[in-house]
């Protein structure tokens, strides 16, 4: 779901990977490894990040900026 041109997370299942990483319903994804996730930019981000194993997600939660760092295995 897009909120203000950014993807909004909703319906996170308890125990899911998103839950374990600390995402919450209503979070708005803003950046992934410094790449803006504004509307229409998702494919560019996917192409640039295919080989990455470490990620920093910047998001808005209740109007507060939050960062979540994780490694893909």
């Amino acid at each position: 779901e897009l909120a203000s041109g950014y993807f909004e997370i909703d319906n996170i299942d308890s125990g899911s990977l998103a839950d374990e990483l600390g995402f919450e319903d209503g979070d708005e994804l803003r950046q992934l490894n410094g790449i803006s996730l504004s509307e229409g930019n998702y494919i560019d981000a996917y192409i640039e990040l295919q080989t990455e194993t470490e990620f920093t997600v910047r998001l808005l939660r209740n109007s507060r900026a939050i960062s979540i760092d994780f490694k893909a295995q």
Side-chain angles (χ1 to χ4, degrees):
E1 179 178 325
L2 290 177
S4 307
Y6 293 93
F7 189 76
E8 183 176 318
I9 298 174
D10 61 0
N11 297 317
I12 294 177
D13 293 326
S14 180
S16 68
L17 178 59
D19 181 43
E20 290 178 17
L21 290 173
F23 292 102
E24 296 181 6
D25 288 345
D27 286 349
E28 291 181 22
L29 300 180
R30 296 298 178 123
Q31 288 185 345
L32 182 56
N33 287 13
I35 299 171
S36 174
L37 297 178
S38 62
E39 186 174 358
N41 198 31
Y42 305 117
I43 293 174
D44 293 338
Y46 173 76
I47 290 168
E48 291 211 24
L49 298 169
Q50 284 184 341
T51 60
E52 295 292 324
T53 58
E54 295 185 15
F55 300 92
T56 297
V57 177
R58 298 199 191 285
L59 54 90
L60 278 185
R61 178 179 295 156
N62 300 320
S63 301
R64 286 187 38 228
I66 303 284
S67 290
I68 297 175
D69 298 313
F70 62 94
K71 292 183 180 184
Q73 298 182 18

